[in-house]
Amino acid sequence: MIQKRVLSGVQPTGSIHIGNWLGAIRNWVDLQDTHDTFVCVVDLHAITVPHDPKKLANETLSTAAIYLACGMDPKKCSIFIQSEITAHSELCWILNCITPLNWMERMIQFKEKAIKQGDNVSIGLLDYPVLMAADILLYDSDLVPVGEDQKQHLELARDIAAQRINAKFAKKDHPILKVPQPLILKNGAKIMSLTDGTKKMSKSDQNENSRISLLDSPDLITKKIKKAKTDSEIGLEFNNPIRPEANNLLNIYSIISGKDPEDVAIECKNIGWGKFKPLFTEAMITALSPIQNKYNDLMNDPYELTNVLKEGKIKAEEVSQETLKKVKNALGFYKGS
Ligand code: TYM
């Protein structure tokens, strides 16, 4: 039976946090058992804001190690580095030329990130979602597992494939590109900041205490959770709109401890924050410890990791070149002899 194809990726910027894990990577791990899965480290996206060339390669390798440490299995999936597959940049250029500028100016993440960059906003930042569309469309992806913040980018990828490529250049009933579906699981799709339960946990937040990184030491995790914002109520509860911090921490606690939300609600109904925080801290340290151990093993001897990336590159190259060729043919490029 032909398996449906999955593609996703994370940027190698700063430290990967529990939002990236619970909103995205964790879902890839389940999908690889039943889907033809491709995951990449999107290093070309990482340079859409000012970056440090001394750190880029190492953070790229480290992000790939985190994929494996979180449970991605190279026997079941292909792991590769985006910039090693030149088809991504090439398809991005082609898509740039058929995507209306006003579609891009509507992108919420662009507007948010552009404000932070002031006068320094690059064309790359505006173009970020088109490169993401190229990533997805090159692999004929059926499903794209992401957090909620990527929903608009996924809609753009769908519109580009359906309205700008297939509708304009495909022969009737022979689409050139597959129109992908987002896969945004309700549980974990939006992990909020530890210091403000109304704000998304984010790599770019200036306040380090707002997020727990997958590689934080037990001491640092304990410190960050101690500082996490609380309220003055006794007993924690889900879904009370005036208690976003309680909802967020209970939600995270339920996922990382593997307990049903109903059981967590009962367990925490009558306990105060002072009792909950140590429970939460212990669950977090226990959940992250095997990931950190595996990560350290991989990074101490990166031979296995670099081999995984070489194999992933070969598979990615094969699939992506085929799609690129289809698009170039449909657009009428010279084919050579
Ligand atoms: P990045 O690196 O910003 O985020 C990686 C993934 O983590 C999810 N995420 C979250 N999920 C839940 N709660 C949060 N607080 C949280 N913060 C981040 C994101 O939704 C994402 O799934 N543009 C993508 C990278 C990308 C990509 C692609 C993804 C480039 N090309 C192709 C899928 C397919 C991004 O946001 O990266």
Side-chain angles (χ1 to χ4, degrees):
M1 198 183 73
I2 295 177
Q3 290 187 326
K4 289 202 165 174
R5 172 91 40 82
V6 160
L7 177 123
S8 199
V10 171
Q11 289 187 68
T13 34
S15 47
I16 311 290
H17 55 68
I18 56 168
N20 302 130
W21 177 41
L22 301 178
I25 303 173
R26 180 180 63 117
N27 301 326
W28 310 348
V29 175
D30 294 335
L31 286 163
Q32 67 181 339
D33 287 329
T34 45
H35 290 72
D36 182 18
T37 303
F38 284 76
V39 290
C40 54
V41 179
V42 292
D43 53 349
L44 292 171
H45 280 102
I47 65 161
T48 56
V49 293
H51 80 287
D52 184 348
K54 290 196 206 83
K55 289 189 182 159
L56 183 61
N58 205 37
E59 286 183 342
T60 300
L61 195 67
S62 159
T63 303
I66 284 181
Y67 292 180
L68 289 174
C70 287
M72 293 311 288
D73 177 352
K75 290 195 205 81
K76 300 181 188 165
C77 72
S78 305
I79 303 175
F80 65 98
I81 309 297
Q82 181 194 35
S83 66
E84 291 211 294
I85 307 295
T86 54
H88 291 243
S89 312
E90 202 174 339
L91 183 62
C92 177
W93 176 256
I94 293 173
L95 301 183
N96 278 340
C97 297
I98 48 98
T99 304
L101 182 60
N102 64 31
W103 287 13
M104 307 310 297
E105 287 165 340
R106 285 205 289 266
M107 295 289 123
I108 298 163
Q109 272 209 346
F110 169 70
K111 289 189 212 164
E112 286 171 359
K113 287 189 183 174
I115 289 170
K116 290 189 193 155
Q117 299 299 316
D119 282 345
N120 236 341
V121 181
S122 68
I123 293 172
L125 192 64
L126 179 69
D127 203 26
Y128 177 114
V130 180
L131 178 59
M132 180 164 161
D135 300 341
I136 296 166
L137 300 176
L138 272 177
Y139 295 87
D140 274 344
S141 315
D142 295 282
L143 283 180
V144 186
V146 282
E148 205 174 281
D149 59 344
Q150 296 304 308
K151 201 169 164 200
Q152 197 187 27
H153 292 165
L154 255 298
E155 276 158 17
L156 180 89
R158 288 169 55 81
D159 289 347
I160 291 177
Q163 298 174 30
R164 292 281 146 170
I165 294 284
N166 292 344
K168 283 181 186 270
F169 301 103
K171 296 203 181 84
K172 197 168 178 287
D173 297 330
H174 288 89
I176 301 159
L177 293 173
K178 189 172 271 178
V179 181
Q181 296 282 349
L183 182 70
I184 302 173
L185 297 185
K186 234 170 120 193
N187 206 350
K190 196 166 185 189
I191 301 294
M192 310 308 278
S193 154
L194 296 187
T195 48
D196 179 351
T198 63
K199 249 173 64 185
K200 191 189 74 164
M201 184 177 285
S202 156
K203 286 176 199 157
S204 58
D205 195 320
Q206 297 287 328
N207 184 354
E208 289 268 345
N209 291 325
S210 68
R211 59 184 166 265
I212 294 176
S213 297
L214 294 190
L215 303 177
D216 280 350
S217 68
D219 279 355
L220 192 55
I221 293 172
T222 309
K223 205 182 91 199
K224 286 181 177 176
I225 294 176
K226 265 196 191 135
K227 289 202 169 151
K229 189 170 171 199
T230 58
D231 55 35
S232 51
E233 307 278 322
I234 299 286
L236 281 86
E237 57 188 325
F238 283 106
N239 296 328
N240 181 342
I242 57 168
R243 305 189 66 198
E245 285 77 26
N247 185 60
N248 185 38
L249 293 200
L250 281 192
N251 183 27
I252 299 172
Y253 179 59
S254 151
I255 306 174
I256 59 173
S257 63
K259 294 179 184 172
D260 281 340
E262 293 78 29
D263 295 335
V264 165
I266 295 168
E267 182 187 355
C268 301
K269 196 166 78 176
N270 296 315
I271 61 172
W273 289 94
K275 277 224 172 98
F276 173 72
K277 281 190 171 182
L279 273 181
F280 183 62
T281 305
E282 200 189 312
M284 185 63 72
I285 293 171
T286 306
L288 295 186
S289 147
I291 295 177
Q292 298 183 353
N293 291 340
K294 177 95 204 270
Y295 171 86
N296 289 331
D297 289 348
L298 287 161
M299 290 301 276
N300 284 338
D301 178 9
Y303 179 76
E304 181 191 341
L305 183 57
T306 47
N307 271 341
V308 167
L309 294 174
K310 270 186 210 154
E311 275 175 34
K313 180 181 169 184
I314 294 169
K315 289 204 194 132
E317 189 72 45
E318 203 179 281
V319 178
S320 61
Q321 278 301 335
E322 208 173 300
T323 312
L324 183 64
K325 203 155 94 190
K326 266 197 304 190
V327 173
K328 287 177 83 172
N329 284 344
L331 266 66
F333 280 91
Y334 174 65
K335 285 190 202 140
S337 45

